[in-house]
Amino acid sequence: MVNRHAAIPIWRRSAYAALGVGMAFESLWALTKVDGSSLTTLANGWVYQAIEFVALGVCAARVVQRREQRFAWALMTVALTLWTIGDLIWSVWLDYVANPPAPSVADVAYLLMYPAIYGALMALLRSRIRHAVAAQWLDGGVVGLAVGAAAALLVLDAVLRGTTGRFAVDAVNISYAVLDCILLMFVAMAYVLTGRRAGRDWMALGAGIALMAVADILYADQAAGGIYRAGGWDNVLYLASFCVLAVGAWLPSSTHTDQPTSSRDTIALTFIAATIALGLLVVSAFTTVTPWAIGLAAGALALATVRSALTHRENAAMLKATNAQAVTDALTGLCNRRQLISDLDRLFRTGNRTTTLVFFDLNGFKRYNDVYGHGVGDALLARLGTALKAAVGAAGSAYRLGGDEFCALLDGRHVAHDQLLINARAALNERGSGFDVTTALGIALIPDEAGSPDAALRLADERMYADKARTQRTPVRDVLMQLLGERAPEQLAHSTGVAAIVEAVAGHFAFDGELLDETLRAAELHDIGKLAIPDAIVEKPGPLDADEWLFIRQHPEIGQRILNAAPALTGVAAIVRGSHERWDGSGYPDGLRGEQIPLAARLIAVCDVYDAMTSERPYQRARSHDEAIDELRRNAGTQFDPAIVNALERHFASAPKAATGGQLSHP
């Protein structure tokens, strides 16, 4: 355990001990009132001066040994030196004069001490307060004036009661009282300005000045009553003040603060000070109070009124800023989710004005954030937010919902291929040598597609995630199609043909954008499982035996397992599994019947057979369109969904003829 006293050098510990012994002696003498010329000379002369010289040496040593705040403590050393000179003049000269002059040379030294103390306090205060705000100065002014009013009531009244009628004497006595009041006001104001971070050195200075003021009050009161006796408690207080001011030079100071300080204690102190000032004015209505005290109290209340007005303005500005922050995203400066909800509520309350709600979600941002760090990621989000706001412009409002999700609320009806949304989407895209951030979007038309804010938000969110899924499906789909083309080119041609027919016939059914995209991907990849089937079985020109059929019946399940490896393709995988089921339940792999089979899978099954029948194969000739349609009709209700067969027939009935041969073209 560290011994705190070990850091204090021996000479300073000895000086503190000497001051303690000297103060104990002076206190004991003032308490016991023991008289005698030798003891009085010892107490008032030798011990008194010795205490001052030791304390002065302690303060001067601080100036020599430490550089920080040297100027302030040099001024304090000058002040204590002037105080010592004044006391020394009395000890060696004026105490032995029958009728000492008033004012005397000692008064000059004492009065010059005050500017030096003021300068020291000001220098110390400047090192602690760099950017005090107006409210702090007003708080300090209220407390300082209230303290000055109380001090004027106590000090000036006593001084004025003891006036002699001689101008010079009365002026000097009043000067002491006024200068004490000013110092007390300054200390009180400085305490408020520094809050709880004044430091022990500053607290010592405040205590020393307060002790000096109390001593002056005692002296003035005793002198006014004609009962002053040298060597009383006022002398003890003067010495205590001197020692505290000197020892304060070595006490720890607070660290510099460039930020304004404010605390509940400061507010409470200001309130108490204003209450004291008001009470003093009330008292002045019933008894005689010095005009100085009344003026200072009135000034304190005036500043308190200004402070209240400033507080009201600050609170109003703070409330406004808080409201703005509550609906603003701090990172991008865009409106946030709270503002979006409020705008949607207002939109649905005020009428049926058509509006488009657009959700945006960034693809690839998480990887960018992980690779380059959150700081760089935040900078990118801020940049994209600014770009989105510029792209939306006067057409609506832009929002950041959190994370990498953005939103826009646009006037009028818009679709994804509108130039406005193309620009908005492009504003949220960013590409570099090591990254590629793209955007998925979802749109909800208000009130056409949603009757409430929740419904609009849910619909836009669902469509945005569907678009994101489509975006994520594309790279995996491209890889699998490339694999299919390399491994089985004829299967790739067949799958492409099936997808084209499916896309055309799907228009006869209620396929939304997401289901249609999944259906088209499933049509392209419905035979991906055949890559695991031996070529000899897949390309066999004749009938398959039982074992070979067992292989064939497994390919939908194999295709599902392949596609399930990519989470974005799980919906596609489910459709592929059902693409070889039959309407009567005799299909595979699950033997589903009728509408148990997904509509997309039923559609692919019909289009798959039609394309296979009308395509040339090594093991069979290509049939004509009419032959293929007749075959589908014969099997409608057993192998195929009759409604889909009818839709396929209607589609080809309205499709244009091929340029040659009279054959109906595929879409």
Side-chain angles (χ1 to χ4, degrees):
M1 183 175 180
V2 178
N3 184 359
R4 292 183 301 166
H5 300 288
I8 302 177
I10 185 64
W11 70 266
R12 192 145 43 98
R13 281 188 281 167
S14 300
Y16 291 165
L19 293 177
V21 171
M23 287 301 303
F25 175 80
E26 290 290 329
S27 300
L28 184 61
W29 184 61
L31 180 65
T32 58
K33 307 292 185 182
V34 176
D35 206 352
S37 58
S38 298
L39 190 58
T40 300
T41 301
L42 178 64
N44 283 347
W46 293 101
V47 176
Y48 196 100
Q49 292 296 152
I51 292 174
E52 287 187 329
F53 280 120
V54 173
L56 180 60
V58 169
C59 190
R62 165 65 170 75
V63 178
V64 173
Q65 294 187 12
R66 290 189 180 176
R67 295 181 59 185
E68 66 274 11
Q69 301 174 342
R70 177 173 286 172
F71 177 70
W73 290 108
L75 287 176
M76 183 59 69
T77 302
V78 171
L80 296 181
T81 300
L82 291 170
W83 187 343
T84 302
I85 290 173
D87 286 346
L88 194 60
I89 291 172
W90 277 99
S91 296
V92 301
W93 174 32
L94 296 179
D95 274 344
Y96 300 101
V97 177
N99 293 305
S104 65
V105 178
D107 290 313
V108 176
Y110 291 145
L111 291 174
L112 289 176
M113 171 192 69
Y114 284 95
I117 293 178
Y118 178 84
L121 295 178
M122 194 65 189
L124 290 171
L125 184 61
R126 281 173 59 86
S127 69
R128 290 160 169 78
I129 300 296
R130 299 288 179 86
H131 299 289
V133 295
Q136 287 179 276
W137 288 108
L138 288 173
D139 286 336
V142 172
V143 174
L145 289 174
V147 170
L153 179 65
L154 297 173
V155 179
L156 283 179
D157 275 353
V159 171
L160 293 175
R161 286 199 310 270
T163 54
T164 62
R166 292 181 294 169
F167 174 78
V169 173
D170 293 341
V172 169
N173 289 337
I174 292 174
S175 295
Y176 284 127
V178 170
L179 291 172
D180 281 341
C181 290
I182 292 174
L183 279 179
L184 287 172
M185 291 166 60
F186 184 84
V187 169
M189 183 178 70
Y191 176 80
V192 174
L193 288 174
T194 55
R196 286 188 164 187
R197 292 182 279 187
R200 281 191 278 172
D201 58 343
W202 185 265
M203 300 301 293
L205 292 176
I209 291 170
L211 288 170
M212 181 172 61
V214 173
D216 283 340
I217 293 172
L218 286 177
Y219 172 80
D221 187 64
Q222 291 175 6
I227 59 173
Y228 175 73
R229 172 180 175 273
W233 282 107
D234 55 325
N235 270 14
V236 176
L237 293 176
Y238 281 129
L239 282 176
S241 170
F242 197 104
C243 292
V244 171
L245 292 175
V247 173
W250 291 96
L251 293 176
S253 61
S254 66
T255 56
H256 295 178
T257 174
D258 289 334
Q259 297 297 326
T261 57
S262 178
S263 66
R264 294 179 181 177
D265 293 345
T266 301
I267 296 174
L269 192 60
T270 304
F271 176 77
I272 293 171
T275 303
I276 291 174
L278 178 62
L280 194 151
L281 290 178
V282 172
V283 170
S284 68
F286 301 98
T287 185
T288 301
V289 176
T290 176
W292 285 87
I294 295 174
L296 291 171
L301 287 179
L303 286 185
T305 302
V306 175
R307 177 66 170 96
S308 298
L310 181 61
T311 300
H312 174 74
R313 190 179 73 176
E314 289 176 344
N315 288 340
M318 187 181 303
L319 180 60
K320 183 178 180 181
T322 301
N323 289 337
Q325 291 172 1
V327 295
T328 303
D329 176 60
L331 180 62
T332 62
L334 299 178
C335 300
N336 62 11
R337 182 181 289 273
R338 183 192 297 269
Q339 183 65 61
L340 174 63
I341 299 300
S342 175
D343 291 346
L344 286 174
D345 286 338
R346 183 169 57 254
L347 182 65
F348 278 94
R349 285 198 311 270
T350 55
N352 294 325
R353 179 168 58 91
T354 301
T355 307
T356 303
L357 175 65
V358 188
F359 272 19
F360 301 94
D361 189 85
L362 303 184
N363 301 316
F365 177 76
K366 182 179 184 303
R367 180 178 180 278
Y368 179 91
N369 213 32
D370 293 341
V371 172
Y372 298 105
H374 293 286
V376 178
D378 287 347
L380 179 62
L381 289 176
R383 169 184 167 85
L384 297 179
T386 302
L388 177 62
K389 184 176 182 180
V392 171
S397 301
Y399 308 80
R400 178 177 176 238
L401 306 183
D404 58 359
E405 291 186 345
F406 293 84
C407 177
L409 200 57
L410 307 176
D411 296 329
R413 182 179 285 104
H414 298 274
V415 293
H417 57 264
D418 285 355
Q419 190 59 48
L420 176 60
L421 286 183
I422 292 174
N423 293 341
R425 191 172 205 165
L428 293 174
N429 292 345
E430 195 72 57
R431 178 171 295 176
S433 59
F435 67 92
D436 188 10
V437 176
T438 60
T439 309
L441 66 79
I443 299 172
L445 297 179
I446 300 171
D448 300 6
E449 298 180 318
S452 68
D454 287 343
L457 292 169
R458 183 168 56 254
L459 180 59
D461 191 56
E462 289 174 354
R463 289 177 173 174
M464 181 266 291
Y465 275 105
D467 187 52
K468 177 181 280 288
R470 285 193 292 271
T471 303
Q472 293 172 345
R473 281 196 289 268
T474 300
V476 182
R477 172 261 182 197
D478 292 344
V479 171
L480 292 176
M481 292 295 285
Q482 181 68 26
L483 175 62
L484 194 60
E486 295 291 337
R487 178 70 173 79
E490 69 287 350
Q491 287 188 21
L492 176 62
H494 168 62
S495 296
T496 304
V498 172
I501 302 173
V502 165
E503 184 174 14
V505 179
H508 295 271
F509 300 93
F511 280 79
D512 61 24
E514 173 66 6
L515 179 57
L516 177 59
D517 184 77
E518 287 186 340
T519 303
L520 293 178
R521 301 293 82 81
E524 293 175 329
L525 300 169
H526 72 281
D527 279 338
I528 192 70
K530 288 184 178 179
L531 294 179
I533 307 299
D535 292 343
I537 297 177
V538 175
E539 299 174 1
K540 184 177 180 179
L544 303 178
D545 61 29
D547 292 336
E548 291 169 339
W549 268 113
L550 182 61
F551 266 109
I552 289 295
R553 288 174 177 272
Q554 290 177 356
H555 87 265
E557 295 179 85
I558 296 172
Q560 182 187 34
R561 288 198 295 271
I562 292 173
L563 296 174
N564 274 337
L569 293 176
T570 53
V572 175
I575 297 173
V576 168
R577 181 182 181 95
S579 62
H580 287 77
E581 300 288 352
R582 296 168 63 105
W583 185 255
D584 61 5
S586 62
Y588 58 88
D590 300 311
L592 300 180
R593 178 189 299 272
E595 293 185 356
Q596 293 178 337
I597 308 167
L599 175 61
R602 284 180 267 150
L603 176 59
I604 292 172
V606 173
C607 297
D608 178 26
V609 171
Y610 176 85
D611 185 81
M613 286 190 296
T614 57
S615 299
E616 196 70 35
R617 299 290 179 91
Y619 49 85
Q620 73 174 27
R621 68 173 181 83
R623 301 187 190 184
S624 69
H625 166 72
D626 291 337
E627 290 175 331
I629 291 297
D630 288 342
E631 181 68 21
L632 291 174
R633 285 175 185 161
R634 281 195 297 273
N635 289 281
T638 55
Q639 183 176 353
F640 307 116
D641 182 345
I644 294 177
V645 173
N646 289 335
L648 179 71
E649 187 175 359
R650 289 198 307 273
H651 160 67
F652 280 114
S654 61
K657 295 280 186 175
T660 59
Q663 175 67 44
L664 289 171
S665 67
H666 288 185

